[in-house]
Amino acid sequence: MTALVTFGETMLRLSPPRGERLETARELEVQAGGAESNVAVAVARLGGDAAWFSKLPDSPLGRRVVGELRSHGVDTDGVVWTDDADSRQGVYYLEHGAAPRPTNVVYDRADAAVTTLETGEFDLDAVRDAEVCYTTGITPALSETLRETTADVLAAAQDTGTMTAFDLNYRAKLWSPDEAAEGYRDLLGSIDLLFAAERDAATVLGRDGDAESVARGLAEDYGIETVVVTRGEAGSLAVSDGAVFEQGVYDAETYDAIGTGDAFVGGYLAKHLDGGSVAESLEWASATASFKRTIEGDIAVVNPEDVERVVADEGDGISR
Ligand code: KDG
């Protein structure tokens, strides 16, 4: 039994050296990146037991993704391999910005193998046996098939008491706010633990009050046990069974901000799986997210001692 099962797409991230542009770069650094596998890696590295499920082309590119995730301790046995000649490995290009030039993401992920992943191909017993099943709003945005699979997997998890966890993770390059709102509404009734960036809740779900009222509103409207609203530099707030918990951010020098939200979720789930309270899980979430900012790549190459040091150095981490 794996404590945490995650599922979604992992792409290869290709990025020019800092200060160079995609238009002219001669070299591209290759790394793996995907919201759900980023969370699995953070949990595995922080001592938890984590698996990632997906569908990949049986090619050097697909094997590259799996090799990188395994190197961090993630169980990839549930990956479905396809040798369909049309199946693709999703790729994204990342040009690091430097003010006033913004960081730019260019997706090349249409028709990736994972977009054809059907419920029948999924190891639902592993989901039913897990403590937590996690995915994000990126997965149902990728195809109609994945939208159905996501709903089926989350429902199967909830039916047998596996906690379902979900991050809205709105990606404007994948769907419009109206499409995303419809996609989210189909799933939110099957979620036990929701992570929502304040801006996603406002842009997509029209929830633009203060963080506590956003969290309470989502918890009540969809029957969600715990809602965590993240507010960037303003920290995070959770409403869990009606009680409110607040957490500030830890100071960090930002080297690469991509994957910070996933590191937050990874830190939270690692502590939760270790028996931590909501307050302790939020503290680990915040510390892991800050630590990630200092690291190149989508993945939080973090160890438990790193998180413990961040938490210890900064007292309770609450910025007042
Ligand atoms: O959260 C970081 C992700 O954006 C990155 O890893 C790539 O999953 C990704 C996506 O779909 O944007």
Side-chain angles (χ1 to χ4, degrees):
M1 179 192 114
T2 310
L4 171 68
V5 167
T6 67
F7 70 99
E9 178 177 22
T10 297
M11 297 175 286
L12 289 174
R13 155 176 154 167
L14 306 181
S15 37
R18 283 169 190 269
E20 294 194 29
R21 305 216 67 189
L22 278 167
E23 282 184 32
T24 48
R26 291 180 181 278
E27 287 172 26
L28 297 171
E29 186 173 289
V30 185
Q31 293 179 20
E36 299 81 10
S37 59
N38 297 344
V39 168
V41 167
V43 169
R45 294 193 59 93
L46 292 174
D49 186 18
W52 174 73
F53 285 16
S54 194
K55 187 166 180 176
L56 289 173
D58 192 0
S59 72
L61 302 183
R63 290 194 287 277
R64 165 78 198 231
V65 167
V66 154
E68 193 162 334
L69 301 183
R70 277 193 184 150
S71 75
H72 294 285
V74 174
D75 176 347
T76 57
D77 290 353
V79 168
V80 177
W81 295 96
T82 171
D83 52 14
D84 183 334
D86 293 335
S87 81
R88 297 193 62 230
Q89 168 59 50
V91 170
Y92 91 96
Y93 297 85
L94 175 80
E95 180 180 292
H96 288 290
R101 180 170 54 82
T103 291
N104 189 25
V105 166
V106 179
Y107 287 139
D108 181 14
R109 66 194 304 183
D111 302 321
V114 68
T115 61
T116 66
L117 179 63
E118 292 178 5
T119 309
E121 296 178 288
F122 222 95
D123 181 1
L124 287 179
D125 285 340
V127 171
R128 294 187 184 107
D129 288 347
E131 281 179 57
V132 180
C133 174
Y134 176 78
T135 191
T136 81
I138 295 171
T139 311
L142 297 174
S143 69
E144 194 51 44
T145 302
L146 269 181
R147 199 163 148 178
E148 285 166 23
T149 304
T150 305
D152 291 345
V153 171
L154 292 173
Q158 252 203 346
D159 279 354
T160 47
T162 296
M163 176 195 265
T164 53
F166 187 83
D167 187 333
L168 293 182
N169 251 351
Y170 176 61
R171 295 287 183 272
K173 288 184 176 175
L174 295 179
W175 52 359
S176 70
D178 285 347
E179 289 167 331
E182 199 192 321
Y184 292 163
R185 285 194 197 103
D186 288 346
L187 300 173
L188 287 175
S190 307
I191 304 302
D192 300 313
L193 168 60
L194 176 69
F195 296 91
E198 198 169 39
R199 63 168 187 280
D200 291 352
T203 310
V204 181
L205 297 173
R207 313 264 170 159
D208 48 14
D210 61 90
E212 185 177 333
S213 58
V214 170
R216 278 195 192 285
L218 289 169
E220 281 162 20
D221 293 353
Y222 296 99
I224 304 171
E225 188 179 317
T226 304
V227 178
V228 179
V229 175
T230 55
R231 302 184 286 169
E233 284 301 302
S236 51
L237 178 142
V239 169
S240 183
D241 283 328
V244 180
F245 303 85
E246 280 191 80
Q247 175 65 49
V249 295
Y250 294 93
D251 285 342
E253 199 176 310
T254 299
Y255 188 74
D256 184 348
I258 305 270
T260 302
D262 306 328
F264 182 94
V265 174
Y268 187 101
L269 291 179
K271 196 65 182 172
H272 169 83
L273 290 168
D274 195 35
S277 64
V278 173
E280 289 167 333
S281 301
L282 277 180
E283 193 172 58
W284 268 55
S286 181
T288 309
S290 292
F291 197 86
K292 160 64 199 70
R293 289 180 163 276
T294 68
I295 298 163
E296 176 77 7
D298 294 32
I299 284 176
V301 185
V302 63
N303 301 306
E305 314 81 78
D306 299 321
V307 177
E308 276 155 14
R309 198 170 48 242
V310 174
V311 170
D313 281 352
E314 299 282 341
D316 64 5
I318 296 176
S319 50
R320 300 176 201 275

